[in-house]
Amino acid sequence: TPAEPLEEKGQVAPYICQRRTPLLHHNSALTDALEIMAEEAKFSGSEVRSLAFSRAASVLKALPWKVERIQQLHTVPCIGEHSRRILQEMLEDGMSAEVEKVRQSERYRTMKLFTKIFGIGVKIASQWYQEGLRTLTDLQLHQIKLNKEQQAGLLHYEDLNTPVELWEAEAISQVVRQVIEQILPGATVTLTGGFRRGKPCGHDVDLLISHPSEGEEMGLLPKVISILDRQGFLLYHSFHRSSFLSLEDEELWVSGGSSTMDHFERCLSIFHLGDPAGSRPGATGVQKLGALWGLARRPVPESCAWVDLVVTPSSQFPFALLGWTGSRNFERDLRRFSKREKKMTLNSHGLYHLEQKIFLPAASEEEIFQHLGLEYILPEERNA
Ligand code: 8DG
Ligand code: MN
Ligand code: MN
C-alpha cells in the first residue's frame, strides 16, 4: 500500500525520501547558515553533528512557506537544539554570530580551500592545517606528496572548481554518446546527478551508461575511455569499482568473480572542454558541440571538468539511476528508511529483502518506490 502524502495533512514527514524537496525554496538564508555549521562540524571530524545540521537544513528546504518566527517550527521534525538556537538568532537578528564566526575563521576557510582539491578529505586537510599550511602555494613550497588523483585536482584547481554548466554537461554527454554509438550501437547514455534534478550547474558531470540487452555492456568502459583518450578529450582518468559497498555487500551484489578491467564499473575522468571564448552559451547545440570537438585538440588545457562515467547492466539500471541521481542527503535517507522501516537493503545495484531473503526486481524508479511503500518523488523534488 502506497504511503500517504504527509504534506496533505499539514505535517512534515521525518524521512527526506518521504518529502518533496525542490531546488528553489523559501528559506535559503536559514539553510545556508545551517549548511555552514554542517560543514564546520565535518571539518572538526564530527559526522554526527554534521548530519544533524544537514538534516535540519534539508527539512527547511521542503517547507512550502517562508519561516518568519521560530514558533512556526514547533511541529517540524529533524531540528535539534543547536540548529534551533541558530535559527532563532537568524530570525531575530537577521544573522547568527556563531555562524559568522565560523565563516570568518581561518580554520574554516583553509579547510574549505584544501578539501576543494579533489581527493583531499577532512583528515589530510586538517593535518596540513595543523602543520601550519594555509594556501595552495604552501603545498607546493613544502613539496607535499600527493597521489595522481590529488595532483590532477591541484593542477586544475581553478577550472575544476568552476561550476560546470548544463549546456557543457549536455555537450559532454553527446560526445560520449557518439563514441559509444561506434562501439556498441543501442547503448544508452543518461545524464544523472544534480543535472537530472534540474540544477543549472554542478561540480561534475555524472553519466550512466547501459544497454537494453543484459551483458552487452560488459567490457564497454575501458574501450570508451581509450577512444576518448585517443581523441584528446581526457586530461586524466582512473578506473574504480562502484563504491559505497562494504565487503560483505560486495559478495551479495556483485556476481562473477573476475577482477579484470572488465569488472570496473566506474571511471573518474577529467574532460577537456576547450576555451570559454570558443564555446559561448549563446551558440546553438551543434555549434557548441563543434566548438568542443575542435578546441579539444588544442595542446593547452583552457577549461576542464570532472566526469563520472558509470556502466550498469540493464537489470540494475533503475537502481543505478536512482542511486546516482542524488542528492546525497536524499540517498542517505532512502537507504536508512529501507533498512529501518522496511527491513530492506537498497543500493545502486538492487533492493534486497533481509527477512524474505529475496531480491526485488524493478523496471523503473517508480517500481522501487512502490516496493518501499513510498510515494514517487520526481528527480526535481530530490534536492534535499
Ligand atoms: P553536483 O555534482 O551537481 O555538485 O551534485 P551531485 O551530482 O548531486 O553530487 P555528486 O557528488 O556528483 O553525486 C551524485 C550522486 O552519485 C550522489 O547521490 C551519490 C552518488 N555517488 C557518488 N559516488 C558514488 C559511488 O561511488 N557509488 C554510488 N553508487 N553512488 C555514488 O557520488
Ligand atoms: Mn554530480
Ligand atoms: Mn559525481
Side-chain angles (χ1 to χ4, degrees):
T1 51
E4 284 177 53
L6 280 157
E7 62 251 54
E8 276 174 21
K9 289 186 276 176
Q11 284 172 339
V12 183
Y15 286 97
I16 288 170
C17 57
Q18 296 169 309
R19 307 194 288 250
R20 298 174 201 287
T21 313
L23 185 61
L24 300 174
H25 59 90
H26 309 272
N27 296 293
S28 314
L30 301 179
T31 58
D32 286 352
L34 293 175
E35 280 172 346
I36 286 179
M37 295 304 289
E39 206 173 20
E40 162 61 20
K42 200 178 75 190
F43 290 162
S44 348
S46 176
E47 269 310 317
V48 177
R49 239 162 32 86
S50 178
L51 263 178
F53 283 124
S54 185
R55 288 220 168 88
S58 282
V59 79
L60 296 188
K61 292 180 191 174
L63 297 179
W65 39 274
K66 188 172 190 295
V67 179
E68 308 274 7
R69 288 169 302 115
I70 194 75
Q71 291 80 4
Q72 294 173 305
L73 297 175
H74 194 61
T75 57
V76 174
C78 312
I79 301 177
E81 209 180 299
H82 199 166
S83 295
R84 195 170 297 270
R85 218 160 57 225
I86 283 164
L87 292 172
Q88 182 152 15
E89 262 190 291
M90 294 284 299
L91 292 167
E92 285 172 5
D93 311 335
M95 58 99 81
S96 153
E98 193 177 355
V99 174
E100 286 317 306
K101 205 173 135 206
V102 167
R103 211 201 290 268
Q104 306 298 332
S105 83
E106 190 175 24
R107 191 187 140 82
Y108 174 80
R109 286 165 172 247
T110 311
M111 289 295 288
K112 214 166 154 74
L113 178 80
F114 288 161
T115 53
K116 271 164 49 182
I117 304 171
F118 191 87
I120 299 300
V122 168
K123 236 178 112 180
I124 299 176
S126 66
Q127 220 166 24
W128 290 347
Y129 183 78
Q130 266 152 38
E131 288 166 18
L133 306 176
R134 293 292 181 271
T135 64
L136 299 182
T137 316
D138 286 349
L139 300 181
Q140 278 152 359
L141 289 176
H142 286 73
Q143 300 186 323
I144 297 290
K145 279 222 158 47
L146 299 170
N147 68 26
K148 273 181 64 190
E149 212 151 87
Q150 296 161 346
Q151 280 171 23
L154 186 56
L155 187 63
H156 306 292
Y157 188 88
E158 286 301 325
D159 275 340
L160 294 175
N161 282 299
T162 304
V164 188
E165 291 177 39
L166 177 61
W167 70 266
E168 291 174 311
E170 274 166 356
I172 291 171
S173 313
Q174 204 49 38
V175 167
V176 173
R177 225 166 258 136
Q178 286 177 14
V179 166
I180 286 185
E181 191 58 28
Q182 296 166 25
I183 317 171
L184 183 64
T188 59
V189 178
T190 311
L191 183 56
T192 65
F195 291 111
R196 185 160 180 258
R197 303 196 308 273
K199 281 176 65 177
C201 56
H203 98 282
D204 70 351
V205 179
D206 305 285
L207 294 177
L208 191 57
I209 300 163
S210 193
H211 189 281
S213 59
E214 185 98 1
E216 289 288 334
E217 79 294 339
M218 271 179 29
L220 181 59
L221 199 51
K223 286 185 203 152
V224 176
I225 292 300
S226 117
I227 295 181
L228 286 170
D229 199 21
R230 220 167 41 229
Q231 293 185 344
F233 280 110
L234 305 182
L235 295 176
Y236 171 86
H237 73 269
S238 64
F239 290 95
H240 296 265
R241 306 285 297 271
S242 164
S243 64
F244 278 15
L245 294 179
S246 66
L247 276 178
E248 68 188 277
D249 271 354
E250 188 112 1
E251 276 172 28
L252 189 63
W253 300 103
V254 183
S255 54
S258 112
S259 58
T260 60
M261 287 279 271
D262 288 5
H263 210 75
F264 291 110
E265 306 131 305
R266 180 181 178 198
C267 184
L268 191 59
S269 63
I270 299 179
F271 242 74
H272 186 179
L273 292 176
D275 74 29
S279 43
R280 267 185 288 274
T284 67
V286 178
Q287 280 171 328
K288 284 177 214 159
L289 194 60
L292 198 68
W293 278 98
L295 289 163
R297 294 195 187 88
R298 284 195 192 173
V300 187
E302 297 93 352
S303 160
C304 56
W306 285 108
V307 179
D308 244 341
L309 291 162
V310 182
V311 172
T312 177
S314 67
S315 63
Q316 297 178 8
F317 181 80
F319 298 97
L321 185 61
L322 180 59
W324 284 88
T325 297
S327 67
R328 281 171 187 274
N329 284 338
F330 188 89
E331 300 297 328
R332 192 187 302 112
D333 257 26
L334 199 54
R335 287 161 204 219
R336 200 167 62 105
F337 175 88
S338 308
K339 187 71 116 298
R340 279 214 203 155
E341 307 295 328
K342 302 289 163 178
K343 306 278 177 282
M344 296 181 195
T345 302
L346 172 73
N347 61 30
S348 31
H349 299 275
L351 179 64
Y352 184 73
H353 199 298
L354 292 161
E355 282 169 352
Q356 295 173 11
K357 297 199 183 347
I358 50 164
F359 286 93
L360 300 168
S364 64
E365 282 185 322
E366 283 88 339
E367 279 185 36
I368 304 173
F369 282 86
Q370 271 169 26
H371 283 315
L372 293 169
L374 286 169
E375 208 175 285
Y376 181 63
I377 308 286
L378 289 166
E380 294 79 6
E381 301 168 330
R382 299 179 202 162
N383 286 295

